[in-house]
Amino acid sequence: MTISTTMTIGHELDVAEVISETADSKSFVLRPPTGLRDRFDYLPGQFLTVRVPSERTGHVARSYSLSSAPGIDDELKITVKRTADGYASNWLCDNVLPGDTMTVLPPAGTFTHTAQDADVLLFAAGSGVTPVMSILKTALLQSDRSVVLVYANRDRGSIIFRSELDDLAARFADRLTVHHWLDDEHGFPSVERVAAVAGDNGVREVFVCGPQPFMDMVRAGTSTAGIPAERFHQEVFVSLTGDPFAARPAVDDSASGDAVPAVVHLDGVAHEFDWPAGQTLVDVLLGRGVDVPFSCMSGECGSCACTVVSGKVVMNDTGILDPADLAEGYILGCQSRPDSGPVEIEF
């Protein structure tokens, strides 16, 4: 059997509503088809990768965080803020209307809250509030945890979800504290100011999302305050250079002579198969109908990160993995091919 490229990627979601949040940001409420709703289960803080039409390249792919909260909001919602030179953000805000459809990948991302009994300290800047809002609502509405949010913006007109935050602060006055940090009133936030807030909330799990300089500053401030690294979580977005929506090669059974026996543990299920030497782990799993996490297909997002339990793989590109990740056995499924086996992988 020869390899074909008929395995299509992406799902069409209906745009149920478009909400103007600020002068330069909009939320898009998305409704999956009835038969795909389970495929779009997600964790607070995760994102969707969206296919955006382009006359020059056919389409581009961008990732946008879900500002909705699972189990709380009936539909999915992503929030998009225009950037000065951002083709995708401007196209979405200018063109998408209720009744349209968006082509998206299933939810992905590791910026999510797993310590369900821990109070949280949230830092956000600009549109970085999007995944933070999902984490905030989940903590307040599905637990009795306490939440502190520090939200930085240029001015009051730039505050995304301002009315919703005001309502939540009034409703949960004993458990939610919101600090709006506005550049035109308070100047820019500093390491010292972050350290002061973190020092008053040192037993919380810390989450931060925003421009890289803001996240670097928050990391330095929380470190100064003595927050352990394992309680610090930050979101990292990159401008995708690959095409995660491109048709993927089907499983090539004719290459079984060069295949390595493999078992992959994912969501409590062990998948056993012969892994062809010329195909990546994500491609093989997708070709076999396995619901494997992925987003960029180019080693840039980390959604497909997993660990090698036994055997050996090789990677085209180590992408966002740092030396400590590699030393602990982490690999990127979209970049990994088998070297010697049997191979055992755990997601």
Side-chain angles (χ1 to χ4, degrees):
M1 183 181 78
T2 58
I3 296 177
S4 63
T5 55
T6 58
M7 189 171 64
T8 57
I9 302 295
H11 303 285
E12 298 292 324
L13 272 58
D14 292 331
V15 180
E17 187 178 0
V18 178
I19 303 166
S20 293
E21 301 287 359
T22 66
D24 57 0
S25 63
K26 290 184 177 181
S27 289
F28 301 92
V29 179
L30 306 177
R31 180 175 298 140
T34 302
L36 287 177
R37 284 197 170 266
D38 289 348
R39 188 70 182 86
F40 282 87
D41 287 344
Y42 63 102
L43 298 172
Q46 290 192 305
F47 61 84
L48 297 181
T49 299
V50 179
R51 176 176 174 169
V52 180
S54 167
E55 291 183 359
R56 184 171 61 86
T57 61
H59 64 266
V60 296
R62 295 291 184 268
S63 297
Y64 295 104
S65 293
L66 287 152
S67 52
S68 53
I72 297 169
D73 297 303
D74 292 335
E75 308 292 354
L76 291 81
K77 181 171 70 174
I78 59 171
T79 302
V80 179
K81 183 178 181 179
R82 296 178 186 270
T83 56
D85 298 316
Y87 169 79
S89 63
N90 283 284
W91 191 95
L92 290 169
C93 289
D94 287 339
N95 292 280
V96 176
L97 299 171
D100 291 341
T101 61
M102 279 192 193
T103 304
V104 304
L105 297 178
T110 59
F111 181 70
T112 187
H113 198 272
T114 55
Q116 297 300 323
D117 59 344
D119 294 336
V120 291
L121 172 59
L122 309 172
F123 290 91
S127 59
V129 74
T130 304
V132 165
M133 192 67 175
S134 183
I135 294 170
L136 180 151
K137 290 194 293 185
T138 301
L140 292 175
L141 295 165
Q142 294 189 337
S143 77
D144 60 358
R145 287 173 288 165
S146 170
V147 179
V148 175
L149 168 64
V150 180
Y151 185 18
N153 281 287
R154 296 187 308 270
D155 49 44
R156 291 194 179 276
S158 302
I159 300 174
I160 303 173
F161 312 130
R162 180 177 177 181
S163 295
E164 189 173 3
L165 285 170
D166 288 345
D167 291 344
L168 289 168
R171 180 179 173 186
F172 298 98
D174 58 333
R175 292 170 48 215
L176 173 61
T177 302
V178 179
H179 300 289
H180 287 292
W181 193 271
L182 305 177
D183 296 346
D184 65 346
E185 295 182 18
H186 309 108
F188 294 107
S190 65
V191 170
E192 293 74 20
R193 287 164 172 165
V194 169
V197 174
D200 291 337
N201 298 277
V203 298
R204 298 172 183 263
E205 290 283 314
V206 178
F207 293 83
V208 57
C209 186
Q212 191 62 50
F214 175 80
M215 294 195 293
D216 292 342
M217 183 266 298
V218 172
R219 179 183 286 275
T222 55
S223 176
T224 298
I227 302 294
E230 61 269 20
R231 293 215 306 269
F232 181 89
H233 316 275
Q234 76 174 42
E235 180 62 298
V236 178
F237 283 121
V238 294
S239 184
L240 304 181
T241 58
D243 182 8
F245 292 96
R248 313 305 300 176
V251 176
D252 186 11
D253 292 334
S254 66
S256 58
D258 297 322
V260 172
V263 56
V264 175
H265 303 278
L266 174 62
D267 294 334
V269 178
H271 303 275
E272 297 187 43
F273 53 89
D274 289 331
W275 183 357
Q279 292 190 286
T280 69
L281 180 60
V282 168
D283 280 346
V284 170
L285 290 172
L286 287 174
R288 295 181 178 276
V290 178
D291 191 11
V292 58
F294 75 96
S295 182
C296 69
M297 290 295 198
S298 53
E300 297 170 295
C301 73
S303 296
C304 62
C306 48
T307 55
V308 178
V309 178
S310 61
K312 185 178 179 181
V313 306
V314 292
M315 280 191 286
N316 294 345
D317 187 345
T318 58
I320 67 168
L321 298 180
D322 59 31
D325 295 326
L326 296 172
E328 292 179 14
Y330 281 98
I331 63 169
L332 298 173
C334 73
Q335 298 295 301
S336 298
R337 292 174 170 79
D339 184 17
S340 59
V343 176
E344 185 174 5
I345 303 289
E346 186 168 338
F347 278 86

